[in-house]
Amino acid sequence: QKLLEGADVVADFSLPAGPTWEVRQRIKTLVQNILFAMPRRAKFVYASSEMAYGMRYTDACVKNRLWSRTSYGAMKRFGERLAFRGGRATGHEVFALRLGQVHGDIQNVSRLFKKSLNSEAILVPDGPSDTVFTYTIAQALYNIGMARETPGRYTVVRSEEHTSELQSRQY
């Protein structure tokens, strides 16, 4: 409680590892402890993944599926449900940010991408993208803290017009 005392927004970007039953227990413990320790007015953000829509790693587009095709997607759905249930129980506003591919200095995908670059020209498509940089996520957290967004599930995308845009996928 002392650690979170002055927080306006608390975000959980953890990724527990281990056997499925153990990961579920760690997610449950962490989400519940955070929600009960947060200041009353603080908002909770659960960092989820587009994989929570339920598609396979090899699927070419985002599609909402009834059953998750990966254990990772199932874990993220589980965490989202716990966050929203815990938010109702504690009176906190809850946001689930479904992230696509995240790039930044400490992101493994960024390091792999840099290694694969050569001197040839590359094409960067113009338009919205689910590939975001850590700055975009920071902007989304700022928007939540400034009450520019309403509680719910969002897919974070990058668009030309906006540095950060949350697209609601309420269901």
Side-chain angles (χ1 to χ4, degrees), residues 26 34 44 53 58 67 71 78 86 89 96 105 124-126 166 171:
R26 287 179 181 162
I34 291 170
F44 180 63
Y53 284 113
T58 56
W67 303 107
S71 59
F78 174 74
D105 289 339
V124 178
D126 185 19
L166 299 181
Y171 49 85

Side-chain angles (χ1 to χ4, degrees), residues 78-164:
F78 174 74
E80 288 179 7
R81 283 192 307 273
L82 283 175
F84 285 108
R85 193 177 308 134
R88 285 189 298 275
T90 60
H92 289 98
E93 291 183 355
V94 174
F95 300 77
L97 300 185
R98 289 184 171 180
L99 306 171
Q101 194 173 97
V102 178
H103 284 270
D105 289 339
I106 64 170
Q107 299 296 319
N108 193 43
V109 70
S110 296
R111 282 182 285 217
L112 292 172
F113 186 73
K114 284 179 186 177
K115 275 185 181 179
S116 69
L117 290 177
N118 54 33
S119 60
E120 297 175 27
I122 60 169
L123 173 66
V124 178
D126 185 19
S129 174
D130 70 341
T131 299
V132 297
F133 290 84
T134 50
Y135 174 83
T136 307
I137 299 166
Q139 186 66 46
L141 294 172
Y142 176 79
N143 290 345
I144 289 168
M146 298 303 290
R148 294 179 182 160
E149 307 294 343
T150 57
R153 283 181 183 88
Y154 292 89
T155 300
V156 181
V157 297
R158 166 76 170 86
S159 70
E160 245 353 86
E161 303 84 43
H162 306 290
T163 304
S164 174

Side-chain angles (χ1 to χ4, degrees), residues 17-92:
T20 302
W21 66 269
E22 201 172 290
V23 170
R24 284 181 176 258
Q25 187 55 50
R26 287 179 181 162
I27 291 170
K28 182 178 179 181
T29 300
L30 188 58
V31 168
Q32 287 176 343
N33 286 347
I34 291 170
L35 284 164
F36 284 102
M38 296 173 38
R40 192 81 172 137
R41 73 190 185 310
K43 298 168 184 166
F44 180 63
V45 178
Y46 181 76
S48 190
S49 166
E50 284 182 346
M51 295 304 293
Y53 284 113
M55 66 268 198
R56 293 178 186 91
Y57 288 112
T58 56
D59 287 350
C61 61
V62 175
K63 183 176 180 185
N64 199 23
R65 305 254 185 201
L66 182 59
W67 303 107
S68 182
R69 302 312 198 260
T70 67
S71 59
Y72 176 72
M75 294 297 173
K76 287 301 186 178
R77 283 184 180 185
F78 174 74
E80 288 179 7
R81 283 192 307 273
L82 283 175
F84 285 108
R85 193 177 308 134
R88 285 189 298 275
T90 60
H92 289 98

